[in-house]
Amino acid sequence: MKNKNQKVHLSKDKRKSILILAVIIIGTIIIISKMGFDSRNQDVSLTSDKDVIINKNEVTETVKFYPVMVGSKKMEILAVRAGDGSIRTAFNTCQVCNGSPRAYYRQQGDILVCQNCGNQFSMDMVELERGGCNPVPITSENKTDDGTNIVISMEFIAQNKNLFTNNWKTK
């Protein structure tokens, strides 16, 4: 009789443990989905009051995306190391397509592709090209390079929030 009660008792403990684990997993999924988790690299957490700081040692030929919030507006900055070794920065929205929620870039090989119109853009031209279908440049006048980090002020970022639609980056 004692063994039978122990089995029932263990079974209840196991059920309780499974229920607790399920609640934790479901809660985590809900939290991640509300945060708008994106599987791409995110080197800066969403922020609404801090400057974006990009560690230059972490920037490679693979574009890095830095998400930012200004109020309820989602924005993103991209940084990439160009073929000449310089680090180029831009807002991750297309100058022509920026009225579209799909006006953002994804890397394919050594090019960036606008997800709205499909235009292809050389990563070596990031920050150099103005106008047309390419990422909106963040030039040296609008950022600080202290040798270790590139700093883009939240004030400058906020001034450019209208480049992004309220429903930017919908799939």
Side-chain angles (χ1 to χ4, degrees), residues 19-147:
L19 180 60
I20 290 170
L21 182 61
V23 168
I24 291 170
I25 291 170
I26 291 169
T28 301
I29 291 169
I30 290 169
I31 289 168
I32 288 172
S33 68
K34 292 207 182 268
M35 289 172 43
F37 181 77
D38 190 337
S39 62
R40 295 178 306 155
N41 49 10
Q42 292 190 17
D43 301 313
V44 174
S45 57
L46 294 176
T47 181
S48 60
D49 60 351
K50 297 180 182 174
D51 297 342
V52 171
I53 300 172
I54 301 169
N55 182 321
K56 291 172 62 172
N57 288 332
E58 295 175 359
V59 180
T60 67
E61 295 80 20
T62 300
V63 69
K64 290 192 177 258
F65 299 95
Y66 298 85
V68 182
M69 289 290 285
V70 174
S72 62
K73 178 105 31 143
K74 288 187 337 183
M75 301 173 68
E76 200 168 63
I77 293 170
L78 63 84
V80 66
R81 190 171 300 274
D84 65 2
S86 65
I87 295 175
R88 311 280 176 80
T89 55
F91 288 106
N92 186 18
T93 190
C94 175
Q95 291 186 51
V96 171
C97 301
N98 71 20
S100 167
R102 294 186 47 82
Y104 60 92
Y105 289 85
R106 292 230 170 125
Q107 182 174 357
Q108 291 181 358
D110 63 349
I111 60 170
L112 293 173
V113 178
C114 176
Q115 298 303 291
N116 187 61
C117 71
N119 188 47
Q120 298 181 0
F121 186 76
S122 167
M123 286 192 293
D124 279 346
M125 297 308 293
V126 169
E127 191 180 321
L128 301 180
E129 290 275 334
R130 293 180 185 265
C133 187
N134 51 61
V136 179
I138 300 174
T139 60
S140 59
E141 302 87 46
N142 300 308
K143 60 186 174 184
T144 305
D145 184 340
D146 67 10

